[in-house]
Amino acid sequence: MNIDFSSEELAFQQAVQKFLQEKLPADIREWTLKEIPLGKEDFVRWQKILYEQGWAATNWPVEHGGTGWTPTQKYIWANECANFGAPDVIPFGFKMVAPVIFTYGSEEQKQRFLPDILESNVWWCQGYSEPNAGSDLASLKTTAVRDGDEYIVNGTKTWTTLGQYADWIFCLVRTGGTEVKNQAAISFLLIEMNHPGITVSPIMTLGGHHEVNEVHFNNVRVPVGNRIGEEGQGWTYAKVLLTHERTGIARVASSKKRLKTLKKLASETCDGDANLLENPAFSQKLAEVEIDLLALEYTELRALAAVSTGQAPGPESSILKIKGTEIAQQLDELYMETAGYYGMPFVSNQFTSDFDGERVGPGVITSSVPRYINNRKASIYGGSNEIQKNIISKWVLGL
Ligand SMILES: Cc1cc2nc3c(=O)[nH]c(=O)nc-3n(C[C@H](O)[C@H](O)[C@H](O)COP(=O)(O)OP(=O)(O)OC[C@H]3O[C@@H](n4cnc5c(N)ncnc54)[C@H](O)[C@@H]3O)c2cc1C
C-alpha cells in the first residue's frame, strides 16, 4: 500500500496549513492546545469561518454543501487541525443528525434543516438515552401519540450533552405505545427546544461541570412533518447515526497530537538526574500507546474509505470507538503522571475558557487532571465499550 501523498494532496495540505494560520482565531487556538473546552460562542465563531471557506461539512455530499473530500483529504484535514490547534466541529448537527436528514429525510426537510446546520445557525443535541434506557436503548419509554397532524410527546431524555445551548433536539420516541417493547415501534423526531412543555435540568459531572442535562417533555406538540422517514422505522436511522457517532469518537488525529505534546513535556520534566522520557517504566507505557495508535490509524482509514463511497461505517466503527477511547484514556493517565504535583490542587473551574484566575501548572498541564476526570465518559457515551464488544462479537466474529 502506497501511503505517500500525491502532489495534489501535498498542495491541499499546504492550502489547509495556510488557511489555519490565517483564519483560526488565536484565542480559540490557545484553548484548544491547552485542552480546555470552548464555550458555545467560540465553537459557532469557528464553524462560521469554516462555512465561509466552504469547509464546514467535511462528511456531507457536495450537493448539500459538503466538501466532497476524498478519505485522504479528510485525513489530512483532521491531522492538520489537530496539529495546529483547531477544534473539532460540534458533532450533533454536522455529523449526527445531518447524515440522517440527507439520507432519509424528505426534500422539504433537507431544504429546511441542512442550510442552518451548515451555517451553524442552529445548535442541535441528541435525545436517545433515558433514565432506564442506555445500553438497552430499544426499551426507551418516551411516547409520541398521534393527534391529527401532531404528535404529543411525553417522557424524559438524559445525559443530553450541551442540551442547555440547543435550539433543536433529535429524539427517538415510541410511536407504538409503551407496552410494545420492540424496535419496530420507534420513530425519529426532530423537536424544537422552545416548545412549551420542554424543560432542561443540568446534571453536574464528577469534575464539577455542566456538560450534560436531563430534558423533560410534558405534552409537547410536535408536527408530524418533523418525523424523519417512516413511522416505526426510527431504529434503522438511529443505528446509522450511531456508527457515524462512534467513528467520530476515535479521535486518532487528536491522540497523535497529544502523544507528540506528551513526549515533549516528559522530556522537559525532571525525574531524578534525568528526565521523565528517559524513565524506562514511563517510556515503555508511552511506546505501547504509540504502537496501538499506529494500528488504529489504519482502521480509521478503512472506515473513512467506506464513508467516502456513500456507505455508513460498518462494525469497524465499534473497533475504532473501543481502541480510540482506550488510547485517549491511557494518554490522560500519562499526562497526569507528567503533571506530578501540579495535578494535586483541584481547581475545577480552571477547565473552562472563561476562567480568569491563576492557572495551576504551565501550558497543557493545567488541564491534565480535569481532563482525566472528564474523559472517563469516553468509554461510556456513544454506546459503552462493553456494548461495542458485543457488536464486534456478533457482526465481525459471528458469535
Ligand atoms: C458524558 C456523557 C455524555 C452523553 N451524551 C449523550 C447525549 O448527548 N445523548 C444521549 O442520548 N446519550 C448520551 N449519553 C448516554 C450514553 O450513550 C449512555 O450513558 C450509554 O449508552 C450507557 O448507558 P447507561 O448510562 O444507561 O448505562 P447502562 O446501560 O445502565 O450500563 C451500565 C454498565 O453495564 C454495562 N452493560 C450494560 N448492558 C450490557 C451488556 N448487554 N453486555 C455487557 N455489558 C453491559 C455497560 O457497559 C455499563 O458498564 C452520554 C453519556 C455520558 C456519560
Side-chain angles (χ1 to χ4, degrees):
M1 178 159 87
N2 180 8
I3 54 166
D4 291 334
F5 293 146
S6 66
S7 53
E8 290 82 15
E9 286 158 355
L10 287 170
F12 173 75
Q13 186 179 33
Q14 279 171 5
V16 168
Q17 287 168 350
K18 185 165 179 288
F19 166 74
L20 291 173
Q21 269 155 13
E22 288 174 0
K23 295 288 165 69
L24 178 64
D27 56 340
I28 294 181
R29 180 175 187 220
E30 184 189 342
W31 302 130
T32 308
L33 287 175
K34 285 186 176 163
E35 301 192 354
I36 290 171
L38 302 174
K40 176 180 179 177
E41 285 68 28
D42 301 321
F43 277 112
V44 172
R45 187 156 43 110
W46 173 232
Q47 289 172 193
K48 282 189 177 284
I49 294 171
L50 291 176
Y51 168 73
E52 291 297 323
Q53 178 74 6
W55 289 357
T58 57
N59 61 326
W60 296 18
V62 180
E63 71 257 35
H64 299 305
T67 56
W69 284 342
T70 62
T72 312
Q73 285 177 304
K74 288 181 197 166
Y75 171 86
I76 290 171
W77 171 249
N79 279 277
E80 292 303 326
C81 283
N83 271 330
F84 195 74
D88 291 338
V89 298
I90 289 288
F92 304 108
F94 285 107
K95 298 190 173 168
M96 295 193 199
V97 75
V100 172
I101 294 173
F102 64 64
T103 311
Y104 301 106
S106 65
E107 271 317 305
E108 192 268 327
Q109 288 169 335
K110 289 177 201 172
Q111 311 260 332
R112 182 170 164 211
F113 292 110
L114 295 178
D116 274 339
I117 298 176
L118 199 60
E119 249 185 278
S120 291
N121 293 334
V122 166
W123 188 284
W124 284 84
C125 65
Q126 179 187 28
Y128 274 25
S129 307
E130 296 184 4
N132 289 308
S135 303
D136 183 16
L137 189 58
S139 66
L140 62 92
K141 288 198 166 53
T142 296
T143 52
V145 176
R146 186 84 180 244
D147 181 27
D149 290 342
E150 292 176 323
Y151 287 110
I152 303 174
V153 178
N154 279 289
T156 296
K157 295 291 174 182
T158 194
W159 305 118
T160 318
T161 301
L162 304 180
Q164 70 268 36
Y165 301 141
D167 306 297
W168 282 79
I169 182 168
F170 53 91
C171 277
L172 292 181
V173 293
R174 190 160 286 289
T175 38
T178 41
E179 67 288 352
V180 189
K181 196 189 167 195
N182 69 22
Q183 297 158 357
I186 291 174
S187 299
F188 195 105
L189 270 193
L190 312 180
I191 305 177
E192 203 162 0
M193 292 289 279
N194 65 5
H195 270 294
I198 297 185
T199 46
V200 179
S201 37
I203 302 173
M204 300 310 284
T205 54
L206 187 64
H209 305 110
H210 179 193
E211 187 175 306
V212 284
N213 302 274
E214 275 198 341
V215 181
H216 310 275
F217 299 86
N218 183 12
N219 290 324
V220 175
R221 292 192 160 264
V222 181
V224 170
N226 286 11
R227 189 191 69 224
I228 296 286
E230 299 294 316
E231 188 169 284
Q233 289 300 307
W235 190 251
T236 309
Y237 318 141
K239 280 195 300 188
V240 170
L241 184 149
L242 280 172
T243 56
H244 282 280
E245 178 181 0
R246 284 169 195 150
T247 311
I249 295 173
R251 311 200 74 233
V252 175
S254 152
S255 287
K256 277 167 59 188
K257 165 70 178 170
R258 296 184 76 208
L259 182 73
K260 208 192 282 177
T261 307
L262 181 62
K263 281 184 181 170
K264 184 164 180 298
L265 275 174
S267 73
E268 292 162 355
T269 302
C270 283
D271 180 47
D273 292 338
N275 65 57
L276 191 57
L277 199 58
E278 290 164 324
N279 177 317
F282 186 86
S283 64
Q284 183 181 337
K285 286 185 258 182
L286 208 61
E288 281 167 6
V289 178
E290 189 160 12
I291 291 164
D292 277 356
L293 191 52
L294 241 156
L296 188 67
E297 199 171 3
Y298 285 89
T299 309
E300 186 186 49
L301 287 170
R302 285 208 308 272
L304 274 178
V307 175
S308 77
T309 56
Q311 306 164 40
E316 65 267 30
S317 67
S318 297
I319 302 172
L320 278 170
K321 206 256 153 171
I322 297 171
K323 285 308 294 182
T325 53
E326 283 177 359
I327 288 169
Q329 290 178 344
Q330 281 157 4
L331 285 170
D332 291 335
E333 283 180 32
L334 294 175
Y335 267 90
M336 285 240 292
E337 266 189 55
T338 311
Y341 289 125
Y342 284 125
M344 293 180 78
F346 182 64
V347 191
S348 74
N349 56 351
Q350 74 169 6
F351 196 45
T352 55
S353 55
D354 56 7
F355 175 70
D356 59 3
E358 199 176 329
R359 291 178 186 274
V360 180
V364 69
I365 284 292
T366 192
S367 62
S368 50
V369 175
R371 163 71 53 195
Y372 169 85
I373 295 171
N374 183 276
N375 211 27
R376 301 295 88 202
K377 68 187 178 188
S379 41
I380 303 170
Y381 69 68
S384 75
N385 284 13
E386 289 78 17
I387 294 300
Q388 303 316 308
K389 287 177 186 167
N390 289 350
I391 293 173
I392 292 168
S393 77
K394 193 166 168 194
W395 297 108
V396 181
L397 305 174
L399 299 174

